[in-house]
Amino acid sequence: MQYARNAWYVAAWSEDLPASAPLACELLGEPLVLWRRADGTPVAFEDRCVHRLAPLSLGRCEGDLLRCMYHGIRFAADGVVSSIPGQDLIPAQARVRTYPVIERHDWLWVWPGDAALADPALIPPAVGLSDPDWILGHGQLDYAAEAALISDNLCDFSHLSYVHAQSFGAGPEFADNLPRVSPLPRGVRFERWLPVPADSPRNPHGEPVEAWQTYDYLLPGVLLMWSANYPQGTAEQLGGDAPAMSDALGGLSFTSQAVTPLGDGRARYFFSWGPHRRDGDAAKRDAMMAMAHQAFAEDKAMIEAQHARIATSRNPRIMPTAHDRGVTLYNRLVERLVAREITELETAT
Amino acid sequence: MQYARNAWYVAAWSEDLPASAPLACELLGEPLVLWRRADGTPVAFEDRCVHRLAPLSLGRCEGDLLRCMYHGIRFAADGVVSSIPGQDLIPAQARVRTYPVIERHDWLWVWPGDAALADPALIPPAVGLSDPDWILGHGQLDYAAEAALISDNLCDFSHLSYVHAQSFGAGPEFADNLPRVSPLPRGVRFERWLPVPADSPRNPHGEPVEAWQTYDYLLPGVLLMWSANYPQGTAEQLGGDAPAMSDALGGLSFTSQAVTPLGDGRARYFFSWGPHRRDGDAAKRDAMMAMAHQAFAEDKAMIEAQHARIATSRNPRIMPTAHDRGVTLYNRLVERLVAREITELETAT
Amino acid sequence: MQYARNAWYVAAWSEDLPASAPLACELLGEPLVLWRRADGTPVAFEDRCVHRLAPLSLGRCEGDLLRCMYHGIRFAADGVVSSIPGQDLIPAQARVRTYPVIERHDWLWVWPGDAALADPALIPPAVGLSDPDWILGHGQLDYAAEAALISDNLCDFSHLSYVHAQSFGAGPEFADNLPRVSPLPRGVRFERWLPVPADSPRNPHGEPVEAWQTYDYLLPGVLLMWSANYPQGTAEQLGGDAPAMSDALGGLSFTSQAVTPLGDGRARYFFSWGPHRRDGDAAKRDAMMAMAHQAFAEDKAMIEAQHARIATSRNPRIMPTAHDRGVTLYNRLVERLVAREITELETAT
């Protein structure tokens, strides 16, 4: 699988990187170490000492420096070696690779590509755990599967009718009807109206309503979705178009999800979900997260089994269906980006 | 290792395939799913959806159809897609590979080769669990070893004197004497007379007897054996030839065993064993099965160690002994079959 | 990694090879079986029967013979087959490879190279567990790492200041100062004087002393070290040279350690340590071993992490420091030996 390098990937939750201990993570097959300077600013290095390649994630934070705890070599935040025990001379080439890293929305975003192109404006507008408008729970799952297969899954919600018939109580409506799918400059937008009968467990209104559900699936693998309930007839009245978030009857919720390729056949899936402050509380959030954990375990079981089957297939070929339109749009976007990066690299060298 | 494809392999016990849930299995490195139509007829598919290669063994039986539970695509028993959620058109190529499968002797036999050659008459005459004449226990073991090494083991009973000195209480007679070995059209026949002293734990007759033991080892790895005790002198009287089963003094038993290659270095070993109804009961069967479980665990330990040693040997070469005559006859039969299959494939294409 | 073949490697502790049961071990990727003749003399075979390659380590000692317990073939101590069940003829080529093996210092030393060159005088002068002068504890650890990385570690004690700051209570002195390093015909000698303040937990003398620490790191990976305390001023008085062991104030201890490459990325580390009889007792030894077990677990964690990082690095390059002088000397010795062995092999064939 090929992934874009010039993009911001979620490497970790902010809260998982302590003030004074490094954290190992992995991105596109490269070992990374995240650590914080004295003022808390995050730093991302390749996780490999210049001396004998011991992981710096076993090292020690010393103010604005990171020390390798095998033989004591120390690095400044720009990756340059600042001291070597037993000698005064520091060779000119003594530095590790650094990666642009930005802390935003309670995630640590790392840019594995050309640092000159690392524009913070390209970070997707996720909703952070500390956002005052939303009450969010969160979690993460490691997959023994290609990140691309998780993206495929998230770009085709027809699987809800089968994979999540139990957990989400999804009926046939996700499979029977196609959502509206439209391209975005760096992603794909999905929109749909769904009827919610009066007796649905997800309907607290005492009368039939209509649910609006929309999400953007953005490079390099970030899903940002909100949904809410509206009075019956709203869909028709708006000609199927998007309603205003503020007109919702209730049930307003937001989820941010990020798929990060760790290495070949391994991915990490980060997610948060919860109600708007005006439509729920911590108990509502916890109920939603319980449901999410069950559902995401269902996805994981199916996708890991799919991955294993693909990995042992001699000539794996897929047969896209009508529901794959969003999947295909997104994958072509990735392919174009990857192709462009390869061309640029070849031109540069 | 190479195995014949035009042969019936045991894929599962009948009882392990429920009426309404699919069962994953594997044969010659290919993932299979077994399932039953509404009337119970077994069906064998490649275990890989045409859409995005999810395993159909995670699917749902719906009458005469099998539904993939990732995105809901349904298949008829001939492998052809019958419905796709969200679209009416079904592409002409939308089908999975099917395999001939026959339920007989309480086993599900699958033919991985050319379906046109799948002659049910080639199924070896095993004795099923439901056979009225025999009281059989059964089991199965998964090996981290080539199926061919298990076949080698079963074609040379001299190992009983060493591997099974404890479990079967086998003395040196299996190693000291060679059995009579004769080729069959699709296998090898082994026959021997063994003295059973009056004080042997396997002698319930109060006087020395002679045991007759014979088995056919048949393609593609099926052992069918019976043994029984006869009055002393019978062997000499018959010139070493086979006695009639009906003349036996007692101790009449039957075992059916099948070795199925799952994939490189992995095999499944199916077995049943027990006394004839006139020579034993459920207690006798249970005692025999306890012995068998111990003995087959001894085989597994030795053969897996042998497999691991071969796998890490640069130039593994064997040195056959006199006891290998049956092994060599059987292996040449397999080699001839495989060579013929390759020639036919080349001629056909 | 390449290792010298014409050298004595520690294959096992003497006490781990019983009188009458074979022991599997591994050396340079080759499976070995050790066993004892009736008089206790150790024998080393390749662990692979000539018949069908079953491991002889699953076999049975029968006096001066070893029997394969798969089909009963027996071998004499020179590797030649002495009997084959079911046949009288023994083929001329029926033998397994034997390795020179010598029992000394309570270790079993095996020579994997040219047997004609296996000179017992090349066995390093380790101190055995049964040595009357020392009270030694011992242990072993299996590494998921190249043996060469453990040798690198043992040839650069600057890591004590970082890896073993807790366990050994090592201060910065190991990193801040360079030891004296000198080449030996088959290894490298390390020597250093270290100040031991009066309040150090390792100082039982009630006044500041000076510790002498010296070890030889010898082919193919054997560390032999002694250390002891001396009155303050001894180092200056001797011009930094070695003191006499008999002049020590106390704290005299000895450790023998051996690094054996099992196969690619796997090694076994054998060690003993303890006080001289005049400077300690079993309690002292036990306290030292508790410390050693903690410290060697720290080494293992670091070196296995380093190994894993190197194994997944596309172009692993090291940047030696001043402390690497001993490492480099030792590694060049190994490289020269390996190069010579390859030349000799090419000349011979």
Side-chain angles (χ1 to χ4, degrees):
Chain A
M1 293 286 175
Q2 294 217 290
Y3 297 95
R5 296 190 68 81
N6 289 326
W8 293 103
Y9 285 87
V10 173
W13 293 100
S14 281
E15 66 181 29
D16 287 342
L17 180 60
S20 59
L23 177 71
C25 56
E26 205 181 349
L27 183 52
L28 296 175
E30 294 166 24
L32 261 65
V33 55
L34 299 174
W35 59 284
R36 293 189 189 277
R37 301 177 59 161
D39 67 359
T41 316
V43 180
F45 281 0
E46 67 171 299
D47 189 16
R48 192 164 20 214
C49 182
V50 292
H51 175 217
R52 291 198 169 272
L53 300 96
L56 298 174
S57 52
L58 297 180
R60 184 166 70 193
C61 295
E62 301 186 352
D64 281 344
L65 304 175
L66 180 67
R67 189 191 287 276
C68 177
M69 284 300 279
Y70 196 179
H71 299 96
I73 291 171
R74 285 201 300 186
F75 300 83
D78 58 1
V80 173
V81 169
S82 66
S83 66
I84 302 177
Q87 72 184 61
D88 296 323
L89 184 82
I90 294 176
Q93 83 282 13
R95 62 187 310 156
V96 289
R97 181 177 173 186
T98 64
Y99 296 83
V101 55
I102 287 177
E103 192 158 18
R104 190 180 287 179
H105 319 307
D106 301 305
W107 269 334
L108 289 154
W109 302 83
V110 172
W111 180 276
D114 181 351
L117 305 176
D119 180 359
L122 294 176
I123 294 181
V127 172
L129 303 181
S130 50
D131 189 291
D133 290 340
W134 307 89
I135 303 173
L136 300 172
H138 71 293
Q140 71 184 56
L141 279 173
D142 278 3
Y143 269 73
E146 271 303 321
L149 297 179
I150 309 176
S151 287
D152 290 352
N153 177 269
L154 295 173
C155 288
D156 177 5
F157 269 24
S158 76
H159 78 272
L160 269 74
S161 298
Y162 305 101
V163 178
H164 306 312
Q166 302 304 317
S167 55
F168 282 146
E173 63 274 18
F174 288 94
D176 289 349
N177 306 300
L178 299 171
R180 187 193 291 184
V181 173
S182 28
L184 298 173
R186 288 179 70 85
V188 180
R189 177 160 295 168
F190 300 82
E191 298 167 307
R192 75 196 320 160
W193 284 101
L194 294 159
V196 187
D199 59 353
S200 158
R202 284 170 300 158
N203 188 339
H205 305 289
E207 51 176 353
V209 297
E210 289 168 353
W212 169 253
Q213 191 184 71
T214 183
Y215 62 96
D216 292 350
Y217 198 77
L218 302 171
L219 288 166
V222 175
L223 179 148
L224 303 177
M225 169 165 128
W226 68 272
S227 50
N229 297 328
Y230 290 83
Q232 215 167 11
T234 310
E236 199 182 343
Q237 190 186 316
L238 293 174
D241 281 352
M245 208 186 259
S246 54
D247 294 343
L249 266 185
L252 183 59
S253 71
F254 201 96
T255 178
S256 302
Q257 306 181 9
V259 179
T260 297
L262 301 179
D264 284 343
R266 292 175 301 110
R268 186 160 287 172
Y269 175 50
F270 301 90
F271 52 88
S272 68
W273 194 29
H276 194 275
R277 193 160 294 278
R278 69 167 195 247
D279 279 344
D281 51 15
K284 170 85 175 159
R285 175 202 62 199
D286 292 347
M288 290 170 75
M289 285 310 292
M291 196 190 290
H293 278 291
Q294 187 184 342
F296 297 163
E298 289 165 345
D299 284 320
K300 182 170 144 82
M302 181 60 79
I303 293 168
E304 291 187 340
Q306 178 199 17
H307 174 82
R309 189 60 83 238
I310 291 172
T312 56
S313 294
R314 236 156 301 168
N315 184 23
R317 277 198 300 183
I318 61 157
M319 184 197 80
T321 69
H323 274 292
D324 279 307
R325 195 166 156 249
V327 178
T328 304
L329 274 177
Y330 180 74
N331 286 339
R332 289 208 181 129
L333 195 61
V334 175
E335 285 159 21
R336 278 201 305 273
L337 227 71
V338 169
R340 200 190 312 152
E341 288 179 2
I342 292 172
T343 308
E344 282 167 2
L345 266 179
E346 283 169 350
T347 312
T349 56
Chain B
M1 291 286 174
Q2 295 218 288
Y3 297 97
R5 298 191 65 83
N6 290 326
W8 293 103
Y9 285 88
V10 173
W13 292 100
S14 281
E15 65 182 29
D16 288 341
L17 181 61
S20 58
L23 177 71
C25 56
E26 205 181 348
L27 183 52
L28 296 176
E30 292 166 23
L32 261 66
V33 54
L34 300 174
W35 60 284
R36 292 189 188 278
R37 302 178 59 162
D39 67 359
T41 317
V43 181
F45 281 0
E46 67 170 298
D47 189 14
R48 192 162 22 212
C49 183
V50 293
H51 175 217
R52 292 198 168 271
L53 300 94
L56 297 173
S57 52
L58 298 179
R60 185 166 67 195
C61 294
E62 300 185 354
D64 281 345
L65 304 174
L66 180 66
R67 188 190 288 276
C68 178
M69 284 301 279
Y70 195 0
H71 299 96
I73 291 171
R74 286 202 298 187
F75 301 83
D78 58 1
V80 174
V81 169
S82 66
S83 65
I84 302 177
Q87 72 184 61
D88 295 325
L89 184 81
I90 294 175
Q93 84 280 15
R95 61 187 311 155
V96 289
R97 182 178 171 184
T98 63
Y99 295 82
V101 53
I102 288 176
E103 192 158 18
R104 188 181 290 179
H105 319 307
D106 300 305
W107 270 332
L108 290 154
W109 303 81
V110 171
W111 179 277
D114 181 351
L117 306 175
D119 180 359
L122 294 177
I123 294 180
V127 171
L129 304 180
S130 49
D131 189 290
D133 289 340
W134 306 89
I135 303 173
L136 300 173
H138 72 295
Q140 71 186 58
L141 279 173
D142 278 3
Y143 269 71
E146 271 303 321
L149 297 180
I150 310 176
S151 287
D152 290 352
N153 175 269
L154 295 173
C155 288
D156 175 6
F157 270 25
S158 76
H159 78 271
L160 268 74
S161 298
Y162 305 102
V163 179
H164 306 311
Q166 302 304 318
S167 55
F168 282 147
E173 64 274 17
F174 288 93
D176 289 349
N177 306 300
L178 300 170
R180 184 194 292 186
V181 173
S182 28
L184 299 173
R186 288 181 69 84
V188 180
R189 176 160 296 170
F190 300 81
E191 298 168 308
R192 75 198 318 160
W193 283 99
L194 295 158
V196 187
D199 60 355
S200 159
R202 285 171 298 158
N203 188 339
H205 305 289
E207 52 175 352
V209 297
E210 289 168 352
W212 169 253
Q213 190 185 72
T214 183
Y215 62 96
D216 292 350
Y217 198 77
L218 301 170
L219 288 166
V222 175
L223 178 149
L224 304 176
M225 169 165 129
W226 68 273
S227 50
N229 297 329
Y230 290 83
Q232 215 166 12
T234 311
E236 197 182 342
Q237 190 187 319
L238 294 174
D241 282 350
M245 206 187 263
S246 52
D247 294 342
L249 267 184
L252 183 58
S253 71
F254 200 96
T255 178
S256 303
Q257 306 181 8
V259 179
T260 297
L262 301 178
D264 284 343
R266 291 176 301 110
R268 187 160 287 173
Y269 175 50
F270 301 89
F271 52 87
S272 68
W273 194 30
H276 195 274
R277 191 159 296 278
R278 70 169 193 245
D279 278 344
D281 50 17
K284 169 86 175 158
R285 174 202 63 199
D286 293 345
M288 290 171 75
M289 285 309 290
M291 195 190 293
H293 278 291
Q294 186 184 341
F296 297 164
E298 290 164 344
D299 284 320
K300 181 171 145 80
M302 180 60 80
I303 292 168
E304 291 187 341
Q306 178 199 17
H307 174 82
R309 189 59 83 238
I310 291 171
T312 55
S313 295
R314 236 156 301 169
N315 184 24
R317 278 197 300 185
I318 61 158
M319 184 196 80
T321 69
H323 274 292
D324 279 306
R325 197 169 154 246
V327 178
T328 304
L329 273 177
Y330 179 73
N331 286 339
R332 290 210 180 128
L333 195 60
V334 175
E335 284 158 22
R336 278 201 306 275
L337 227 71
V338 169
R340 200 193 311 153
E341 287 178 5
I342 290 172
T343 308
E344 281 166 3
L345 265 179
E346 282 168 350
T347 312
T349 56
Chain C
M1 294 287 174
Q2 295 218 289
Y3 297 96
R5 298 190 66 84
N6 289 326
W8 292 103
Y9 286 88
V10 173
W13 292 100
S14 280
E15 66 182 28
D16 288 341
L17 180 60
S20 60
L23 177 70
C25 56
E26 205 180 348
L27 183 51
L28 296 176
E30 293 166 24
L32 263 65
V33 54
L34 299 174
W35 59 284
R36 292 188 189 278
R37 303 178 58 163
D39 66 0
T41 316
V43 180
F45 281 0
E46 68 171 300
D47 189 15
R48 193 164 20 216
C49 182
V50 293
H51 175 218
R52 292 198 169 270
L53 300 96
L56 297 174
S57 51
L58 297 179
R60 185 166 67 194
C61 294
E62 301 186 351
D64 281 343
L65 304 174
L66 180 67
R67 187 190 289 275
C68 176
M69 284 300 280
Y70 195 0
H71 299 96
I73 291 170
R74 285 201 298 185
F75 301 82
D78 58 1
V80 174
V81 168
S82 66
S83 65
I84 301 176
Q87 71 185 62
D88 295 325
L89 184 81
I90 294 176
Q93 85 282 15
R95 60 187 311 156
V96 288
R97 181 178 172 186
T98 63
Y99 295 83
V101 54
I102 287 176
E103 191 159 18
R104 188 182 290 180
H105 319 308
D106 300 306
W107 270 333
L108 290 153
W109 302 81
V110 172
W111 180 277
D114 181 351
L117 306 175
D119 179 0
L122 294 176
I123 294 181
V127 172
L129 303 180
S130 51
D131 189 290
D133 290 339
W134 306 90
I135 303 173
L136 300 172
H138 72 293
Q140 70 185 57
L141 280 173
D142 278 3
Y143 269 72
E146 271 303 321
L149 297 180
I150 310 177
S151 286
D152 290 351
N153 177 267
L154 294 173
C155 288
D156 175 5
F157 269 24
S158 76
H159 78 271
L160 268 74
S161 297
Y162 305 102
V163 178
H164 305 312
Q166 302 304 317
S167 55
F168 282 147
E173 64 274 18
F174 289 95
D176 289 349
N177 306 299
L178 300 171
R180 186 192 291 185
V181 173
S182 28
L184 299 172
R186 288 179 70 85
V188 180
R189 176 160 296 169
F190 300 81
E191 297 168 308
R192 75 198 319 163
W193 283 100
L194 295 158
V196 187
D199 60 353
S200 159
R202 284 171 300 158
N203 187 339
H205 306 289
E207 51 177 352
V209 296
E210 289 170 352
W212 169 255
Q213 192 184 70
T214 184
Y215 62 96
D216 291 350
Y217 198 78
L218 301 171
L219 288 166
V222 175
L223 179 148
L224 305 177
M225 169 165 130
W226 69 272
S227 49
N229 297 328
Y230 290 83
Q232 216 168 9
T234 311
E236 199 181 341
Q237 191 187 316
L238 293 174
D241 281 352
M245 207 186 262
S246 53
D247 295 342
L249 267 185
L252 184 58
S253 71
F254 202 96
T255 177
S256 302
Q257 306 180 7
V259 179
T260 298
L262 302 178
D264 285 343
R266 292 177 301 110
R268 187 160 288 172
Y269 175 50
F270 301 90
F271 52 88
S272 68
W273 194 30
H276 195 276
R277 193 161 294 279
R278 70 169 193 244
D279 280 343
D281 51 17
K284 170 84 174 161
R285 175 202 62 201
D286 292 347
M288 289 171 74
M289 285 309 290
M291 195 188 293
H293 278 292
Q294 187 184 341
F296 297 164
E298 290 165 343
D299 284 321
K300 180 171 145 81
M302 180 61 78
I303 292 168
E304 291 186 341
Q306 178 198 18
H307 174 82
R309 188 62 81 238
I310 292 171
T312 56
S313 295
R314 236 157 300 168
N315 184 22
R317 277 197 300 184
I318 61 157
M319 184 195 79
T321 70
H323 274 293
D324 279 307
R325 193 162 160 253
V327 178
T328 304
L329 274 176
Y330 180 73
N331 286 340
R332 289 211 180 128
L333 195 61
V334 174
E335 285 158 22
R336 279 200 306 275
L337 227 73
V338 169
R340 200 191 312 153
E341 288 179 1
I342 292 172
T343 308
E344 282 166 3
L345 266 179
E346 281 168 351
T347 312
T349 55

